[in-house]
Amino acid sequence: MSKRKVLIVGGVAGGATAAAHARRLCEESEIVIFERGPYVSFANCGLPYYIGGEIVEKNELLVQTPEGLRSRFNLDVRVMSEVLEIDSKQKRIQVLNRISGDKYWETYDDLILSIGSRPLLPPIPGIDLPGHFTVRGIPDVEAINEWISKNHVRNAVVVGGGFIGLEMVEQLCKRNFNVVVLEALNQLMAPLDPEMAAWLHQELKAQGVDVFLENPVNRFDTPRDDEHACASIIQLKNGISLPADLVILGLGVRPETSLAETGGIEIGEKGGIKVDSHLRTNKPHIWAIGDAIEVRDCVTKEWTLIPLAGPANRQGRIVAENIYGSSMKYQGTWGTSILRLFDLTAACTGANEKNLRRLNIPHDSVYLHPASHATYYPDAHRIAMKVLFDPKTGKLLGAQAVGRDGVDKRIDVFATALKAGMTVHELEDIELAYAPPFGSAKDPVNLAGMVAQHVVHNDVKNAKWNEIDKLDSNKTVLLDVRDKNERDQGYIPKSIHIPLPELRERYSELPLEKEIIVYCQTGQRSYFADRFLAQKGYNVKNLSGSYLTWKTVQIKP
């Protein structure tokens, strides 16, 4: 490999990976990392868990130190060094030493921008009051812990219901604070569809967390002297006032592109740095990776922003390879992500239905509630799953799962299937490891393929949870085939009850001239009933996800 001078702006996931891989490719190159803060490579995904005490020592968050990178990879690591300007014509950058105040220019053969993103802070009056914090780096969590230690914190408010916001909700509850979460949208966790996010709403309610949806903050007021000595009084759109001793602003992030713009680097339609498939910018020998760039959504083909560590790591390796003569391409992203919220895990991969509908991409979906492992083995828990697919070809488009166990395993299988371009027919045939503590002979992924395949082949017609309220009782009968004890605990209004074991003797009670929508608890028994009634000449649909999906959406946070 030919010797080159490679400058990298920003460390963390993408920049540090690019530097280490570049060194493995060429021992003779001069490789310099510039980081404007004191830490060059840290686990920003672990920051909330430091607040809650699950990660005890701050040093555990440090993936690499400047000393470690120097000794292991012979890298020149310059922390507290802020890059102010890019001069792409002369192939140089201007650097500010934030300790001494000195400025200097540094030339390059190749420049990698791993400049990340910054917290989104809309112009809400009072948003910058003391006691208000974002969670983006180690200095942020240090400041939060210092505030908690010096103030009598009882009431914590998290503004924003995304990944960081909900992780902070969980960790603040571990410190026995009263926690409220505010979200301007009609659901938490925007990557999930609303009916899947409803499981999270239910879990927060069970944990004593108050959730305000579709209720944005109007302003943050400074408390008066006669009020509780809190950080601020939060005024919501609906007129409610909430005192907050601590406010966490988890309103999302936006690409940090100001430095790129100084060098005339093109910014894309989503506000991130525009790169080609090799991760080159429009300027020769300048590359960009990580949170700051726009990437292709592999399902919808849209440009999108995906601030995730996994893609950033892969991009860092690709750029290093390409600098030294390869021609590797970054295919794009499926947005595979996961969250733990108290006793639940929520995960998704690929497209959600909201985006498929917005883009008019043909799709269908199925819901199911399989057990995490064999039900006869102790501690099996149901997983709520949603699988999206092309209704003609069966090609997999996306998957979402929420449950207490086994979610991570299944979403990773779905992510692999998406990458491979598999159909729901092929999901049925995937051979997965089985033993009673880990799964079932028909794994939830296999079951998802079977259920979806019935829809693609038109063997089963599905009804969805959001159609139920619109049904015309003059044309449709809603049939509950669960046992009596299940129905006694709740049922869908206006439904009639014929338990599945009695259906063969009582099916004549159902009107042939009306559509029959059948449901059970999770969808399996209603499928059996659907097959029987269809063969008896009825126009029948199976309520996908059945009572569990419908009921969960009805529970308001």
Side-chain angles (χ1 to χ4, degrees):
M1 296 291 180
S2 61
K3 176 181 177 180
R4 302 190 67 78
K5 183 176 182 181
V6 180
L7 305 186
I8 303 170
V9 185
V12 195
T17 298
H21 197 61
R23 174 58 73 222
R24 290 192 289 270
L25 294 172
C26 184
E27 180 61 31
E28 304 305 318
S29 288
E30 181 181 355
I31 303 171
V32 188
I33 302 176
F34 298 90
E35 175 57 55
R36 64 183 173 189
Y39 305 102
V40 65
S41 182
F42 61 92
N44 52 1
C45 298
L47 296 175
Y49 304 102
Y50 179 62
I51 293 292
E54 290 191 56
I55 296 175
V56 179
E57 299 295 334
K58 181 179 68 178
N59 287 343
E60 295 176 25
L61 294 169
L62 302 179
V63 179
Q64 287 284 358
T65 63
E67 296 75 18
L69 289 171
R70 289 188 191 104
S71 63
R72 179 174 292 187
F73 299 109
N74 189 28
L75 302 177
D76 182 353
V77 181
R78 304 180 193 179
V79 295
M80 301 302 291
S81 297
E82 182 176 2
V83 178
L84 302 177
E85 184 181 346
I86 299 171
D87 182 350
S88 59
K89 291 183 179 179
Q90 298 191 51
K91 296 176 67 175
R92 63 178 186 167
I93 60 173
Q94 187 183 48
V95 184
L96 167 67
N97 185 316
R98 298 182 68 187
I99 297 175
S100 67
D102 295 335
K103 296 180 182 179
Y104 61 95
W105 290 91
E106 193 78 47
T107 60
Y108 63 82
D109 293 319
D110 287 278
L111 175 65
I112 303 174
L113 301 180
S114 179
I115 47 185
S117 56
R118 64 183 187 276
L120 180 61
L121 294 175
I124 302 172
I127 196 169
D128 55 353
L129 284 172
H132 292 196
F133 301 93
T134 57
V135 183
R136 196 65 187 155
I138 291 178
D140 296 324
V141 293
E142 290 177 319
I144 292 169
N145 277 339
E146 182 180 8
W147 177 269
I148 291 172
S149 68
K150 292 183 177 179
N151 295 275
H152 182 56
V153 174
R154 292 180 300 177
N155 301 310
V157 176
V158 176
V159 185
F163 285 97
I164 288 292
L166 292 183
E167 288 166 353
M168 284 299 298
V169 166
E170 179 196 67
Q171 295 301 307
L172 292 171
C173 284
K174 284 183 177 291
R175 299 188 68 156
N176 296 317
F177 300 148
N178 301 317
V179 182
V180 174
V181 59
L182 310 177
E183 174 55 63
L185 301 177
N186 65 351
Q187 66 165 93
L188 302 174
M189 279 297 290
L192 299 179
D193 286 316
E195 67 276 19
M196 300 301 290
W199 294 93
L200 303 182
H201 303 165
Q202 184 174 303
E203 177 69 7
L204 288 169
K205 187 175 183 178
Q207 297 288 342
V209 176
D210 289 329
V211 179
F212 291 84
L213 300 176
E214 297 183 279
N215 211 343
V217 176
N218 268 352
R219 66 182 189 276
F220 300 93
D221 288 341
T222 303
R224 299 189 303 269
D225 292 339
D226 59 340
E227 289 181 305
H228 168 62
C230 55
S232 64
I233 303 294
I234 303 174
Q235 306 293 347
L236 303 183
K237 180 181 178 181
N238 67 355
I240 290 177
S241 297
L242 296 173
D245 306 316
L246 170 69
V247 175
I248 302 297
L249 301 167
L251 293 161
V253 296
R254 63 173 50 175
E256 179 62 86
T257 59
S258 55
L259 173 63
E261 293 176 64
T262 68
I265 293 171
E266 186 177 357
I267 306 301
E269 60 189 50
K270 297 291 184 180
I273 297 172
K274 191 169 184 178
V275 294
D276 66 11
S277 60
H278 296 90
L279 301 173
R280 298 186 188 93
T281 70
N282 62 309
K283 294 295 182 179
H285 302 288
I286 300 181
W287 315 74
I289 59 178
D291 294 6
I293 69 170
E294 294 183 3
V295 295
R296 284 288 188 193
D297 183 302
C298 291
V299 177
T300 67
K301 309 307 178 186
E302 277 191 303
W303 289 106
T304 188
L305 303 168
I306 302 290
L308 294 173
N313 269 284
R314 294 196 300 278
Q315 293 158 12
R317 289 179 59 87
I318 289 171
V319 163
E321 289 281 350
N322 290 342
I323 285 173
Y324 290 99
S326 293
S327 186
M328 293 181 65
K329 293 184 178 182
Y330 183 70
Q331 294 183 349
T333 183
W334 287 265
T336 307
S337 51
I338 192 166
L339 166 80
R340 186 193 72 189
L341 185 65
F342 300 105
D343 293 329
L344 284 186
T345 302
C348 59
T349 187
N352 59 35
E353 190 163 13
K354 291 174 293 189
N355 281 336
L356 293 172
R357 190 181 299 122
R358 175 177 59 84
L359 296 168
N360 294 315
I361 296 175
H363 66 279
D364 204 341
S365 63
V366 293
Y367 303 89
L368 60 159
H369 299 272
S372 56
H373 59 250
T375 53
Y376 60 82
Y377 189 86
D379 299 323
H381 299 283
R382 292 203 176 276
I383 303 173
M385 295 172 62
K386 179 177 184 178
V387 179
L388 295 137
F389 51 91
D390 185 297
K392 290 185 178 179
T393 66
K395 184 178 180 181
L396 187 63
L397 300 175
Q400 302 167 36
V402 183
R404 299 187 182 278
D405 183 44
V407 168
D408 53 342
K409 171 182 176 178
R410 274 66 191 211
I411 214 68
D412 284 344
V413 175
F414 281 120
T416 305
L418 273 169
K419 173 72 165 65
M422 294 175 68
T423 67
V424 295
H425 315 299
E426 293 168 302
L427 289 181
E428 181 181 355
D429 292 331
I430 293 178
E431 186 173 326
L432 300 172
Y434 161 59
F438 304 105
S440 301
K442 292 179 182 176
D443 190 84
V445 174
N446 301 134
L447 288 172
M450 294 174 191
V451 173
Q453 185 175 227
H454 289 317
V455 176
V456 174
H457 288 163
N458 207 30
D459 296 330
V460 174
K461 296 178 181 177
N462 268 345
K464 305 292 175 60
W465 63 271
N466 54 354
E467 299 172 18
I468 298 303
D469 290 342
K470 307 169 188 174
L471 294 178
D472 183 350
S473 59
N474 294 317
K475 298 179 181 179
T476 304
V477 171
L478 199 54
L479 173 62
D480 182 351
V481 297
R482 297 175 300 161
D483 297 338
K484 181 180 183 302
N485 65 323
E486 293 174 290
R487 186 170 174 86
D488 288 344
Q489 296 176 37
Y491 57 90
I492 300 177
K494 299 181 181 179
S495 62
I496 65 173
H497 183 222
I498 303 178
L500 181 63
E502 302 175 19
L503 188 58
R504 282 183 172 83
E505 287 72 38
R506 296 179 55 189
Y507 74 91
S508 60
E509 298 174 21
L510 300 170
L512 266 172
E513 71 277 8
K514 291 187 179 182
E515 177 185 68
I516 310 296
I517 295 180
V518 60
Y519 74 91
C520 61
Q521 195 73 0
T522 63
Q524 185 182 46
R525 286 170 291 171
S526 58
Y527 165 68
F528 298 155
D530 176 288
R531 294 291 73 224
F532 170 75
L533 292 172
Q535 293 176 59
K536 292 297 182 181
Y538 285 87
N539 176 18
V540 59
K541 288 183 178 179
N542 185 18
L543 179 58
S544 189
S546 271
Y547 183 72
L548 267 184
T549 296
W550 178 87
K551 178 186 175 183
T552 302
V553 178
Q554 310 309 310
I555 299 173
K556 302 304 178 185

